[in-house]
Every structure is written in C-alpha cells, then in structure tokens.
Amino acid sequence: MARFTSFLVFLAILSWGSALVNRPDFASDILFLEKQEEPSLDKRDDVPAGFVASPYYPTPKGGWSPSWSASYAKAHLVVANMTLAEKVNLTTGTGLLMGRCIGNTGSALRFGIPSLCLQDSALGIAATDNITAFPAGITVGATWNKALAYARGAAIGAEARGKGVNIQLGPAVGPLGRKPRGGRNWEGFGADPVLQSWGGVETIKGIQDMGVIATIKHFIANEQEAYRMDIPPHGLMKALSSNLDDRTLHELYAWPFADGIRAGVGAVMTAYNDVNGSASSQNSKMMNGILKDEMGFQGLIMSDWLAQIGGVSSALAGLDMAMPGDGSVPLFGVAYWGYELSTAVLNGTVPLERLNDMVTRIVATWYQLGQDVESFPEPNFSANTADASGPCYPGALFSPTCVVNEYVNVQANHASVAREVAREAITVLKNDNKTLPLLSTSVLRVFGTDAQKNPDGINSCNQRSCNKGTLGMGWGSGTANYPYMDDPLTALKLKAANVTYYDTDSFPSGITAATGDIAMVFVSSDSGENQYTVEGNDGDRKSDGLQLWHKGDDLIKAAAAKYATVIVVVHTVGPVLVEAWVDLPSVKAVVFAHLPGQEAGNSLTDVLFGDYSPSGHLPYSIPKAESDYPASVSLMGFQFFQVQDTFSEGLYIDYRYLNKHSIAPRYAFGHGLSYTTFSKTSATVTAGKAMTSAPPTRAPKGPAPTYSEAIPSPAEVAWPTGFDRIWRYLYPYLDNPQDITSTKAFTYPVGYQTTPQPDPVAGGDQGGNPALWDVMFTISVKVTNTGTVAGKEVVMVYVQYPTDNPWDTPIIQLRAFEKTATLAARASATLTLEITRRDLSIWDVVSQNWIIPVSSSKPFLFWIGNSTAGLTLACESLSKTCSDGRTPPVV
Ligand code: NOJ
C-alpha cells in the first residue's frame, strides 16, 4: 500500500484516542498556542555563509493595483462587516479529509461566500471521474505553442468550474528542472525560465478565463523531492533548505512567478522546502518581500499541504490561507490557525490588520474571478471516494452521510485539445534515411510494455504510483484519473495492417526478423511525488537515474541486433541518456512522446504515419552523460537535522552550464526534427524604448483598504448556541474566548516591524515595475517551408550580452519564441518576437533593481534559431542589422 495512505491510517488510529483527550480544552489555552508556535523565527539552522533569509515585515496589504480595485472595493464592504469567526473561517482549511475537495476553507455564508473548494492538479481535475487527463506540463513545453498552452488551460478551467472547483492547484512552474532527476519537473514546462513562464502564463489565462482561480506553485526553489518536508515534531528533521543567492533567485527561479503574477494569477502556493534556512510558508523575505512587495501580488498565498510549521510566524510572514488547515500532524483536530488564529488576534499577537488583509485578499480574489454568481456550481464530486454517497467528512470520528459524487461529465470536446497538445509535443530526435513517416504497409514488430495500457487497470495504482503500461503522466498529486487510455498499440493497429506485439521488456528469444520488418521499441522513465516510492525511486529518479526504466537500454540493443530498422519511442518525465544505443546503425529513429496523458496513441500515429509533420522541440537538453552536469545539481542525500542544498551553480543549469563549459550535448535544448525543412530569411531588428541602464522609476503604491483596528469582541468567536460540532473539524471558535484578555508575550522575530517598508524600486504593479516589460527590440523573421510537406516551425531568440558586460552571465539565454501556423510546402510566414527590458537586464543585488549593461560599443546579439545548437543567424542591437552565416556562439 502506498506509504502516504498507511501513514494516514496510522494517524487516524493514533488520533482516535488523543482527540478525545485533547480536543475539548485546547481552544482557549494560550499555552497551547506556544506549543504550536515555532519557538522563534530567528532560530534557523545554519546555512552556508552568504545565504540569508533576511526579515521583511510587515506584510504589504493587497488592493493597490488598479486592475484589482473593483474587486477590493467589493471585498472591503464585505470584510468590514464580518465577525472574527467569519474572517478566520476563510483563512483556514477545515482539515484533511474534511470536505469533498483536497482542500476546503470555512465559509462566510451571510455574505454568500461558500466553503471554497481547492483541487489538484496541474494537468486536470484530480481524483475524480468524467474529466480529461491532459498531457503533462512538460509535454506542453515541448509543443512550444502558446495558443495550445492556453487552450489546454481553458479546458482545465472549464472542467474545474464544471466540477465546482473554486481554486485549481496549478500550474506548476517550480521545480524549474535544476536537477534532471528531480521528481516533479514534469509538472512544469521545461528547464528554462522563459519557457516555463510562457507555459505558466498561458495556463493561468486559460484557467482564469473560465472564472476559476489558478494557483502558481511551488514558491520557491522546490527542486528535489527527497527530504522536502519537515518531520514532526518540528526540529527533529527540518525540510531541506534550498540555499540560493538573490541574483539566481530573480533571474531563474522567481522569473516565471513574476510573469504569472503579472498575468493576474489569483493564488500562489508555497513550497515545502526552506529557502535559505527559513520555511517557505513563514519566510517573510519570500512572501512579504518578493511576492507581495516587489512583485505586487494582489491575490492570496496558501501553504502547500501540511507545510505550515507555525501559526503567528506564518501569519506575520505573509501567508493568507493554511492548507489543508491541520497543524503539523493531520487528523488530530488541531491547527496552527482556525481557533488558534482567533486566539492570536484576540490577545493581540497577530495584528487584526494582518487578518483583515488575509481575508480581504481571499474575498477580493473570489470577486476578481467572478465567482459571486449563482451559476458558479458547488462541488459535485468527492476527491475521497468514487462512491455516490459516503461520509461528508471522512476525516471525522463520526460524520453524517452525504451524496458526494454526482458524476458530472465535464469533458466536452477537450479530448481533441489533449490530442493536439500530445501530437504537437512529439519530438523527433533522430530520423535517418527518412525512416519516418511510416507507411500503412509497414511491417511493425512492437516491443515493450509501455506500448499498451496497464493490464491491471489504467487507474489501478493510486495517483499513478507505478510504471506499468503506457506512461502518460508521472505520479503523485500532479495527476488525474484516466477516463480512458488511448494507447500506442491500439493506434498502431488502426494504421498498419501488419502489427505484431511482444508484451515484454526483455527481448524474446527465437525471434526471426524478416527483411523490411521494422522494430518499434517502447521505453520509459518515470518520477513523481515523494509520498510514494516506485521501483526504488522515492519521487526523484533515484535508482535508475537518467537511464531508461525496466532495462530499456537492453531491450533496444537486443532489437537493434536483430532488426535492420529500429524506431525507439520514449515516454519520459525528463531527459534520459541515450548513448548506449543511439548511434547503433539500425537505430534509425528516436521519438520522444513525453507524457501524453490519455491521448498517447492516435497523437503518436498522427506523426509516425505522416498525417502531421513533427514540430515538438526538447524543453531541456539531453547530455551524453550525467556527469556533464554540475555536481551541485545531483540529488542531496541524508544529512542530520537539515539537508543543505546549495545552488552553487548559480545561473548555470541545463544548457547554460553545458555552454559555459563547452560540453556538447547529445541533443541540444530545443532540438526537434521535422519532415520538412524551413528557411529563416529577411530578419530585421527595430529598436523600441530607449536603452537606459535602470528602468524608469516606478509609481508609488495606491491606497489599500483600511478597517477599524479595534480588537473584536471575544463573543465573535464563541461557539454559536446549539452548534453541532464535527469532531476534528477545524473551527474558528473558542470555548472561553472572554478569558483571553492579555497580550501574550510572543517573541517577535528580529526585524519585525509594523511600519510599512519603503516601496521596492523593482516593484510597481503586478509582476514588478511595469517598465520591465517595455519592448526594447522587435525582431521579425520570415519563415519559409522549403520542403515538400506541410509543417510548423518554432523560432527561438537567444540573447547574448555585450562582450564588455561586467556581470558573469550565461553565453546565451532564451528570451522569446513563437511558432508558425501550419505552413504548406513553399508557404511563408513572418514571425515577430519582442525583447523586453527585463530580457536584457541582470538583477543587481546592490541596487536591488534590474539593470541593463548598456554598452556604446558592444552590441547585444539576438541569435535566431530552433535550438541552442547551430545558431548562425543573429541581429545586433547597435547597428540594427541582421546577418546569417555567423559562427555559432555555443557548441
Ligand atoms: C502537495 C503538493 O506538493 C501540491 O502540489 C499539491 O497541490 C498539494 N499536495 C495538494 O495535493
């Protein structure tokens, strides 16, 4: 049984007894607050010298960005009339398994605000029925198609709305993919901040255009699964600390979050890990400083599930919503917030102003997405069971019974969106002798268990925590149930008359290959979330590393020894090493199908048989050896008390590192072949806004809502008369609130202050100083299909900084990309790509601002191509000329 499930069962048994003892008197006990509280925010584990989680207080209030003012005005009217209990109710989850969704807040029904339903995942509506299991984020990244990313986001949003989900827990833009073995890289869009940003932004727009609040996660530097969580009691073993410097934070990991916030995302989820020694859910620098002040985030910040490790500390540091509400150990009916937050406000420890801001942010976000309409459905499904009826609160000792699943079908025509994404992601890495496309008369001998659906049932493993059958997604909370699996074998049989399948990962004995037979070998590499260990991989790709699973290398080599033509199809969460077989003479074609979700079959044969030319491109590099990466991106092993994961490679991840060290990858970032050819001609560059080193000064913040600061009457959190309590459900109420009269002696963190900080120079609106998105250069290029079949081409622009740039900067960095529509043979299209101020800037840690290293003699170069390799066409910022035939900047 999955580790997580057994852990829950264990806890449930434990809590059966303890709840009876603890529950009745906890609420008004101020000492209990002290027990729940982390002793002091200043007590941090030692992190390596130079990495600082500096304090940043108080929390900047939301409501000053013009694009949110109408929603904040509505929220203000409501929150001004709420009781303390109603306010607290909205900030705190009702507890694990205490409602239909993976997370459920309390409600404020007097104002029409329901219990909000929070539901995974980044690729669809998790743990329910009649939905679409979309391709994973990494697959979207491989399409390099912004319109498709939007279409998938809109379809996810429509399904979420149809199921009554208020807050969808995606997209994931962290992890970024710093560690190729990292377990959850596949939930995001690729190992580059700009590619990751676009995936996130278009997904957010799609989801939110359907009126559902999107959640950008996990903030921040959540780059490996092992040791990601605090082990209670807190302090025994802390969550690993990601230690990174300010410039790396801004130029890599925070970049996609800034863009998501600029796009108006409603929610941010914190990460499990510490950042520079301070837990993400109570890291004041990250939440108050970076998210809410510098990036001007107007929505709500929620904790990742059970990532909250302190009540007052997290409130002061900027957290707005505790999820799923429980304290460090779930199902005990105890919380850091809920009744404890009521206590902390009544005794003056948490300023009422902070609670008001939390609630105003939550209510304003609800208005901002237009959820205050009758037509927004209540949840009509249960993430806890597939049964039609069952306990309303499965985590309770005794629960009333409810109708929990109404099996509402929300699929509409989304299967076609899913198929389009899966198809357009298909990345052909090698295609010697034009082996692809295949003919319907091709004689196909298919090997590998990955070619057909899991024989035990497509959803037989909890949250896909096994690698059996076609790999359509990784494992963990980032999944959805398959409504069906269109597997490759079935699709191949629809296209070719002569298909023989060998359902094995070991090459069968006694095979004779006839001339002209084509062997198709299906192989995979899987990873997922840390609560499951699958074939020795505890989330991260620990045991198989970057090798194929199930001895895939051997299967390919054996097939290559028998057959003159071998086509390898790889379903994978990320880069895999291909050196063992890629150069074998009979391995003619290699196809990465990434993680296609439910549409694995026809999307693949659409390309294999030439109905569509492939146009997917790698969203990461494929190195020749794992040792080609810096040692610092290896998985971290056990260390006593806290694992210190120091990002000493700084900006140099993936191609940035390989380029710096002149290490030629096997397949470059962006690599992907087509059945046709394209030329890129008539490139032009025109200047936009004037180049100044610092951006124009930001505007000061506008006003935010204000409320009475008088501590509310304790009666506002007394149990309502005749209230029927559900044991272990988390409430805002207290048994004897009138006894809470004194201010508790709480040790505030060093640097705690209530006077607002000066406006950060890099801020100014959602995402940061709006001038950062001023267009400095516009590049246009004519793409012509010079081959004989229709196809699509991606144009990527990589920026190279002036050679006199004093800052150590990667040689080239992706800054813009666009994809053509389908171009018929000989047809052309002109693509326009914009380079913004931020694209040319470095983050200056001294001035805390984005600075362009302006040079009067050395130009910026804008390299135009379709991967980091073979770049020969470039435009220059000073002469405003473009020329082809140049020496590529990187190997
Ligand atoms: C933990 C995961 O890290 C997060 O991504 C997910 O949304 C929550 N669990 C809820 O399942």
Side-chain angles (χ1 to χ4, degrees):
M1 188 195 282
R3 263 207 291 156
F4 186 58
T5 316
S6 24
F7 179 62
L8 286 182
V9 170
F10 168 72
L11 288 176
I13 294 165
L14 256 187
S15 62
W16 178 275
S18 63
L20 296 174
V21 181
N22 283 338
R23 179 70 193 184
D25 62 353
F26 65 80
S28 60
D29 185 348
I30 299 174
L31 283 176
F32 192 55
L33 179 64
E34 285 170 338
K35 276 188 262 156
Q36 284 281 297
E37 209 43 65
E38 191 179 19
S40 159
L41 267 178
D42 307 319
K43 191 183 165 304
R44 295 183 170 128
D45 273 43
D46 289 341
V47 297
F51 296 94
V52 196
S54 49
Y56 198 102
Y57 298 98
T59 304
K61 287 198 256 180
W64 53 268
S65 169
S67 48
W68 284 68
S69 28
S71 303
Y72 267 86
K74 289 184 202 166
H76 183 226
L77 284 177
V78 166
V79 175
N81 291 298
M82 279 185 179
T83 63
L84 177 57
E86 284 164 333
K87 291 177 186 176
V88 169
N89 225 17
L90 288 176
T91 63
T92 310
T94 56
L96 199 65
L97 302 172
M98 290 295 189
R100 284 176 157 192
C101 305
I102 186 77
N104 308 271
T105 66
S107 57
L109 295 176
R110 278 198 311 144
F111 306 97
I113 304 173
S115 162
L116 300 178
C117 165
L118 291 81
Q119 186 65 18
D120 286 309
S121 70
L123 62 65
I125 318 307
T128 186
D129 49 78
N130 291 309
I131 50 89
T132 307
F134 290 93
I138 200 70
T139 314
V140 178
T143 69
W144 294 74
N145 185 327
K146 296 174 190 173
L148 273 185
Y150 175 85
R152 171 180 169 275
I156 292 174
E159 297 200 358
R161 188 181 182 119
K163 289 284 186 186
V165 173
N166 300 89
I167 305 183
Q168 180 71 17
L169 302 176
V173 298
L176 179 62
R178 167 183 179 241
K179 301 193 179 203
R181 290 181 177 219
R184 298 183 71 185
N185 297 344
W186 58 273
E187 294 186 44
F189 305 93
D192 177 277
V194 169
L195 184 56
Q196 189 83 259
S197 275
W198 279 112
V201 163
E202 296 301 325
T203 306
I204 289 164
K205 287 182 178 164
I207 292 174
Q208 297 206 155
D209 280 354
M210 297 298 132
V212 171
I213 300 164
T215 307
I216 196 166
K217 65 188 187 182
H218 308 82
F219 198 76
I220 194 171
N222 187 164
E223 298 290 326
Q224 87 164 46
E225 284 299 284
Y227 311 108
R228 65 179 183 160
M229 283 184 87
D230 217 76
I231 298 177
H234 177 62
L236 184 67
M237 171 103 187
K238 291 183 74 181
L240 111 168
S241 179
S242 292
N243 306 315
L244 71 169
D245 64 86
D246 194 29
R247 184 172 169 209
T248 301
L249 176 93
H250 279 83
E251 293 188 28
L252 287 187
Y253 299 94
W255 185 291
F257 286 92
D259 281 329
I261 290 170
R262 183 161 178 268
V265 72
V268 175
M269 186 190 292
T270 60
Y272 279 126
N273 51 282
D274 286 16
V275 176
N276 294 339
S278 175
S280 292
S281 60
Q282 57 180 43
N283 189 317
S284 63
K285 173 71 183 172
M286 293 301 133
M287 291 192 289
N288 288 341
I290 303 285
L291 282 176
K292 290 186 171 172
D293 227 358
E294 189 182 311
M295 294 186 187
F297 178 52
Q298 305 293 308
L300 66 100
I301 303 180
M302 70 179 78
S303 65
D304 198 345
W305 268 234
L306 305 172
Q308 194 186 23
I309 59 166
V312 176
S313 47
S314 55
L316 300 181
L319 193 74
D320 304 305
M321 187 183 276
M323 274 294 143
D326 308 69
S328 56
V329 182
L331 297 171
F332 275 75
V334 291
Y336 288 114
W337 283 2
Y339 56 90
E340 293 286 10
L341 187 53
S342 303
T343 304
V345 169
L346 284 183
N347 70 18
T349 311
V350 170
L352 180 62
E353 195 180 18
R354 180 70 264 273
L355 176 64
N356 284 336
D357 175 55
M358 293 178 193
V359 187
T360 310
R361 285 172 175 273
I362 293 167
V363 176
T365 308
W366 183 73
Y367 279 121
Q368 180 82 350
L369 274 295
Q371 296 191 357
D372 56 324
V373 290
E374 286 278 308
S375 57
F376 200 95
E378 288 181 11
N380 49 40
F381 72 101
S382 168
N384 311 311
T385 175
D387 296 341
S389 64
C392 318
Y393 311 106
L397 273 185
F398 307 102
S399 167
T401 299
C402 294
V403 170
V404 285
N405 274 310
E406 292 151 53
Y407 309 108
V408 175
N409 190 313
V410 291
Q411 293 163 334
N413 65 347
H414 304 151
S416 64
V417 176
R419 178 166 166 180
E420 211 177 330
V421 174
R423 176 201 301 140
E424 206 158 312
I426 286 171
T427 309
V428 174
L429 299 180
K430 175 175 180 179
N431 188 19
D432 284 1
N433 307 345
K434 296 197 174 158
T435 299
L436 297 175
L438 298 168
L439 302 170
S440 57
T441 50
S442 301
V443 176
L444 301 178
R445 304 288 177 243
V446 180
F447 300 88
T449 56
D450 179 72
Q452 95 172 338
K453 60 186 94 159
N454 182 348
D456 301 339
I458 50 178
N459 294 313
S460 56
C461 302
N462 203 17
Q463 295 188 324
R464 311 299 79 75
S465 55
C466 60
N467 184 9
K468 208 165 176 194
T470 306
L471 183 69
M473 57 184 82
W475 71 78
S477 63
T479 56
N481 291 337
Y482 292 116
Y484 58 81
M485 163 55 85
D486 169 33
D487 67 31
L489 183 64
T490 310
L492 286 170
K493 287 180 176 167
L494 291 175
K495 284 282 194 183
N498 195 339
V499 178
T500 310
Y501 180 48
Y502 300 93
D503 184 11
T504 174
D505 290 325
S506 318
F507 196 74
S509 54
I511 295 250
T512 44
T515 314
D517 282 4
I518 297 175
M520 296 197 69
V521 186
F522 283 81
V523 287
S524 69
S525 175
D526 199 0
S527 73
E529 202 176 354
N530 182 239
Q531 70 265 35
Y532 304 99
T533 295
V534 179
E535 300 185 33
N537 298 281
D538 57 354
D540 306 310
R541 290 194 279 173
K542 184 176 167 190
S543 69
D544 293 281
L546 303 185
Q547 299 299 142
L548 293 168
W549 284 34
H550 307 156
K551 299 201 175 0
D553 286 353
D554 293 346
L555 184 63
I556 298 167
K557 283 192 282 183
K562 278 272 178 203
Y563 290 87
T565 303
V566 176
I567 298 169
V568 179
V569 178
V570 187
H571 288 120
T572 180
V573 290
V576 292
L577 299 175
V578 298
E579 294 309 300
W581 42 265
V582 76
D583 277 340
L584 294 177
S586 50
V587 174
K588 296 284 191 307
V590 180
V591 177
F592 269 38
H594 307 281
L595 298 175
Q598 69 183 37
E599 300 296 329
N602 290 311
S603 61
L604 180 67
T605 53
D606 282 346
V607 173
L608 292 183
F609 288 85
D611 300 307
Y612 293 82
S613 177
S615 65
H617 289 256
L618 285 177
Y620 42 72
S621 312
I622 297 188
K624 292 184 179 149
E626 200 169 344
S627 55
D628 286 350
Y629 295 121
S632 60
V633 303
S634 306
L635 297 176
M636 295 299 297
F638 176 81
Q639 290 168 7
F640 279 108
F641 309 120
Q642 184 168 41
V643 176
Q644 299 295 331
D645 188 3
T646 298
F647 291 31
S648 53
E649 74 290 340
L651 299 172
Y652 294 98
I653 62 166
D654 200 273
Y655 67 87
R656 290 164 167 80
Y657 180 85
L658 300 176
N659 293 344
K660 180 182 167 93
H661 296 277
S662 302
I663 301 168
R666 164 56 69 168
Y667 292 115
F669 177 85
H671 176 71
L673 302 176
S674 169
Y675 296 154
T676 186
T677 50
F678 298 95
S679 68
K680 297 180 188 70
T681 56
S682 312
T684 63
V685 59
T686 52
K689 286 274 165 70
M691 287 266 262
T692 52
S693 88
T697 309
R698 62 165 289 179
K701 277 186 207 139
T706 52
Y707 301 92
S708 157
E709 284 173 30
I711 289 186
S713 158
E716 290 189 15
V717 286
W719 288 96
T721 321
F723 191 85
D724 195 8
R725 308 180 195 186
I726 305 290
W727 274 24
R728 299 190 194 153
Y729 191 97
L730 301 171
Y731 294 107
Y733 304 116
L734 300 173
D735 284 350
N736 299 302
Q738 68 287 350
D739 294 348
I740 299 169
T741 48
S742 63
T743 300
K744 191 178 76 71
F746 174 76
T747 312
Y748 286 91
V750 167
Y752 179 68
Q753 61 180 60
T754 50
T755 319
Q757 301 274 346
D759 287 348
V761 284
D765 204 342
Q766 293 187 90
N769 186 342
L772 294 173
W773 286 271
D774 282 351
V775 176
M776 310 300 282
F777 292 94
T778 302
I779 291 157
S780 84
V781 62
K782 184 175 170 192
V783 180
T784 304
N785 183 343
T786 49
T788 53
V789 297
K792 294 184 179 183
E793 174 66 321
V794 178
V795 170
M796 308 171 189
V797 174
Y798 293 89
V799 171
Q800 183 171 14
Y801 279 48
T803 48
D804 57 1
N805 163 32
W807 280 282
D808 180 16
T809 303
I811 301 173
I812 54 168
Q813 306 192 77
L814 178 73
R815 287 301 191 232
F817 65 90
E818 293 294 341
K819 193 169 194 175
T820 65
T822 302
L823 293 178
R826 290 178 302 285
S828 303
T830 297
L831 293 181
T832 304
L833 300 104
E834 294 181 334
I835 301 294
T836 66
R837 169 174 282 281
R838 190 182 53 156
D839 294 333
L840 304 178
S841 301
I842 56 89
W843 175 255
D844 177 21
V845 299
V846 178
S847 64
Q848 289 288 291
N849 206 353
W850 292 95
I851 299 295
I852 301 182
V854 179
S855 168
S856 54
S857 56
K858 309 287 182 198
F860 280 92
L861 294 182
F862 306 116
W863 292 94
I864 300 169
N866 67 2
S867 83
T868 57
L871 295 165
T872 56
L873 170 61
C875 301
E876 299 198 3
S877 62
L878 293 177
S879 64
K880 321 261 182 340
T881 57
C882 304
S883 59
D884 207 346
R886 304 174 72 124
T887 307
V890 297
V891 295

